[in-house]
Amino acid sequence: MAQNCLKCLKYTMCVVNFLCFICGTAGFGFGVFMMMNSKVSSLIPSLSSLNIANMLFITGIIMTCVSFLGFLGALKENRCLLVTFFILLFILMLVELTAAFLLLLYESKIDSFLQRDLTDSLEKSRESAKGGNSTMSKGDWDIIQTMFHCCGVHNSSDWKDKVPASCCSKTQCDINQPGCYNKLKAWFEGNFLATGVAVIVLCIIEVLGMCFSVTLFCHISQSGLSYK
């Protein structure tokens, strides 16, 4: 009976890690696609290297590598791979919890930093458009302003005399459109619950993965199998 349970645990771990491997590969591919086609990252110049595309790229690589170790360790009943899998999951969970704690602790500072960085980005876009090079504005701000139906950081006056077409409808320009900063902030706050639930589910999966790896490791040790 115990052997059957352990076999079930082993193959369950293999299936879950295989699914995570597929998700990681998809995230990696989507990150590469966004890196080649998206320009929204320069809206926040100070964090241009931490844009969504790069985060998906890095997350996809980490998920792929960790899930591959878990899958192979469970399938081959390799203690070295299971220990490595456990340690990596533990480190990832600590990083996630630390990041969540820091975001909550420095929420007001992050808020003012993003507001200042968005203003700097808009200034650069306006100067670029004034010099005849409107690529940045069209590639970055137009996407956000069209998507969220907003204009500028606080309002259309941020653009001064260079209000882009994305602040206007097909028939007229609405100078009373709300700023993108408040729209983006409201959007993030509206999705805060979903993000929190996703983080909690991810931590639960990681804890289960660590429990599975420890259980298999103990079973292999009791069976007298040596390190492979």
Side-chain angles (χ1 to χ4, degrees):
M1 181 67 180
Q3 286 289 339
N4 291 333
C5 289
L6 285 169
K7 283 186 178 180
C8 180
L9 181 65
K10 169 184 174 179
Y11 290 114
T12 299
M13 189 172 171
C14 287
V15 171
V16 171
N17 277 288
F18 179 75
L19 292 176
C20 290
F21 179 84
I22 297 299
C23 292
T25 305
F28 170 80
F30 191 57
V32 172
F33 174 79
M34 288 189 67
M35 288 169 68
M36 297 176 64
N37 295 277
S38 177
K39 299 179 181 179
V40 180
S41 58
S42 58
L43 279 174
I44 307 177
S46 299
L47 298 177
S48 59
S49 59
L50 293 178
N51 56 69
I52 296 176
N54 287 345
M55 292 300 291
L56 280 173
F57 180 79
I58 295 171
T59 303
I61 291 177
I62 294 173
M63 281 186 65
T64 302
C65 295
V66 173
S67 57
F68 179 76
L69 284 175
F71 174 82
L72 198 60
L75 186 65
K76 298 293 185 180
E77 297 186 2
N78 187 303
R79 290 195 295 174
C80 288
L81 292 177
L82 288 173
V83 168
T84 305
F85 177 71
F86 175 87
I87 293 172
L88 288 175
L89 279 184
F90 183 71
I91 293 173
L92 284 175
M93 190 171 67
L94 284 181
V95 170
E96 290 161 8
L97 293 176
T98 302
F101 175 75
L102 290 175
L103 285 173
L104 292 174
L105 184 63
Y106 296 102
E107 182 180 0
S108 58
K109 291 184 179 180
I110 293 173
D111 186 63
S112 59
F113 165 77
L114 291 176
Q115 188 173 357
R116 184 175 64 251
D117 227 32
L118 282 172
T119 303
D120 292 341
S121 172
L122 187 141
E123 290 287 339
K124 291 179 181 178
S125 296
R126 193 178 70 242
E127 292 299 322
S128 177
K130 187 182 296 184
N133 180 14
S134 59
T135 304
M136 180 181 287
S137 175
K138 290 183 177 178
D140 302 331
W141 279 97
D142 281 357
I143 295 174
I144 297 299
Q145 291 177 154
T146 302
M147 184 182 300
F148 289 94
H149 303 288
C150 56
C151 188
V153 178
H154 301 100
N155 50 55
S156 60
S157 64
D158 294 330
W159 288 106
K160 296 183 179 178
D161 58 337
K162 293 291 182 180
V163 179
S166 56
C167 286
C168 308
S169 64
K170 292 182 179 180
T171 57
Q172 61 179 355
C173 288
D174 184 6
I175 61 172
N176 296 317
Q177 282 197 71
C180 293
Y181 169 73
N182 289 330
K183 282 286 188 108
L184 287 170
K185 185 177 180 181
W187 183 84
F188 280 114
E189 289 176 350
N191 290 275
F192 184 77
L193 178 61
T195 304
V197 171
V199 171
I200 292 172
V201 170
L202 183 60
C203 287
I204 292 174
I205 292 173
E206 288 170 348
V207 170
L208 289 175
M210 289 189 288
C211 292
F212 286 179
S213 61
V214 167
T215 304
L216 283 175
F217 180 87
C218 293
H219 165 65
I220 295 168
S221 298
Q222 291 172 359
S223 300
L225 298 175
S226 59
Y227 284 93
K228 298 178 182 178

